[in-house]
Amino acid sequence: TLSCSPREAVVSTQSTGEYRESVDAERALAKIRYRNSIEGMVLSALARDAQDYKQALKTLHYKQQILYTHALQSCIWNKVVSRRIAKFGHQILAGDLVYTDDTQKTVRELTEEEVESRDISEIVLPLPGYDITLPGNQCSTMYTELLAEEGMMMEDFSGSTGKEFNTSGVYRNMVVKPLEFDCQVLRYSNEMEKLLETDLDRVTGRSFKPTNEGQRTALHLTFSLPKSCYATMLLREISRGRIE
């Protein structure tokens, strides 16, 4: 999948698009501008051997290889969460995983008796890895099915197919509630109008006061999220729209 999805702001978009449609590395490589780019290196390897995807990946720097491994982990995790919420909503299930203590290093399954007393923000799901515990419910099957769609098994993260896939896995909260959340509605008239005080204003001691007048409306949000959580997803949940 390294060269199957065209990426914006990359000069080799036409080349990756060609490979996506034709699965012909030589034709795609003929359209590429920089042979030493990520796409160029991968396509060059596939042009030599169209079936050796592993060796094509190994033409990249080790840190880049790890990046794609982590991207695969996140992709599977996101799909599991989406599939689970689509099927069960925010319902807590017996067999769901929670941290055993504040160190957040080990997990355990919830019993039927504990389900009613727990909050959805306590439930964690693992990123695929060789040293993780899967939930004791239908979510476990979701991991198996989604990895199978990629031609993989959980055991592949043990490094048996290469050290770039050697990852133990970690746990992430399925639902995160933002901290220090606040919102403010602002009014303005000119789309180029300055609405907020900037860091430069604060550093230079320059005073700023918005007019808060006009026919246009803006929403100013402030909040805090833990690592591995993204503001774009919070905005998607608030707006109930698609975030590009």
Side-chain angles (χ1 to χ4, degrees):
T1 58
L2 289 181
S3 53
C4 289
S5 298
R7 298 183 290 132
E8 292 183 2
V10 178
V11 295
S12 55
T13 296
Q14 287 187 339
S15 178
T16 54
E18 172 65 41
Y19 185 79
R20 184 183 183 184
E21 294 178 3
S22 66
V23 198
D24 187 326
E26 289 189 4
R27 286 178 58 182
L29 193 60
K31 293 185 177 183
I32 208 161
R33 185 175 178 183
Y34 299 112
R35 297 294 180 96
N36 62 345
S37 65
I38 291 176
E39 290 83 359
M41 294 170 67
V42 171
L43 287 171
S44 294
L46 290 175
R48 292 190 294 270
D49 188 338
Q51 302 302 317
D52 197 346
Y53 299 107
K54 181 179 177 180
Q55 188 56 43
L57 180 66
K58 285 184 174 295
T59 61
L60 302 178
H61 188 278
Y62 176 66
K63 290 185 177 180
Q64 292 174 326
Q65 298 176 40
I66 290 294
L67 178 65
Y68 286 110
T69 302
H70 291 170
L72 173 63
Q73 288 178 292
S74 295
C75 178
I76 297 298
W77 188 91
N78 288 334
K79 288 183 176 181
V80 169
V81 172
S82 296
R83 186 174 291 189
R84 181 210 158 102
I85 291 179
K87 187 169 186 177
F88 300 107
H90 286 177
Q91 177 185 355
I92 299 176
L93 309 173
D96 276 342
L97 301 177
V98 294
Y99 289 119
T100 57
D101 53 43
D102 292 338
T103 64
Q104 299 187 350
K105 292 182 178 180
T106 56
V107 297
R108 66 175 182 84
E109 294 182 13
L110 289 180
T111 64
E112 288 279 4
E113 294 74 21
E114 294 177 293
V115 167
E116 294 298 327
S117 63
R118 291 289 184 161
D119 187 83
I120 190 65
S121 62
E122 297 179 72
I123 306 305
V124 298
L125 286 170
L127 270 74
Y130 66 80
D131 190 27
I132 52 96
T133 299
L134 289 172
N137 50 41
Q138 294 184 41
C139 290
S140 178
T141 303
M142 295 177 187
Y143 279 93
T144 302
E145 293 174 347
L146 289 167
L147 283 170
E149 291 177 7
E150 302 295 334
M152 297 186 67
M153 300 182 294
M154 195 67 74
E155 291 75 15
D156 291 328
F157 291 94
S158 64
S160 58
T161 58
K163 63 179 182 178
E164 65 274 11
F165 293 112
N166 185 28
T167 178
S168 59
V170 294
Y171 300 91
R172 289 181 182 171
N173 291 83
M174 190 176 78
V175 173
V176 172
K177 297 179 179 179
L179 302 176
E180 303 171 328
F181 188 90
D182 189 30
C183 64
Q184 180 183 6
V185 176
L186 303 174
R187 307 292 300 185
Y188 67 103
S189 56
N190 187 336
E191 63 182 14
M192 300 302 293
E193 183 177 342
K194 182 177 175 182
L195 300 179
L196 300 173
E197 181 185 42
T198 66
D199 290 338
L200 181 61
D201 292 331
R202 300 185 185 98
V203 170
T204 59
R206 185 168 53 197
S207 62
F208 170 75
K209 185 177 181 180
T211 60
N212 206 22
E213 296 177 352
Q215 300 300 315
R216 298 172 184 245
T217 303
L219 184 63
H220 176 215
L221 302 176
T222 59
F223 51 86
S224 175
L225 293 172
K227 64 179 181 179
S228 299
C229 296
Y230 300 94
T232 49
M233 296 300 99
L234 185 147
L235 295 176
R236 185 186 69 177
E237 292 301 306
I238 292 175
S239 65
R240 295 298 179 184
R242 182 178 178 84
I243 301 296
E244 297 292 348

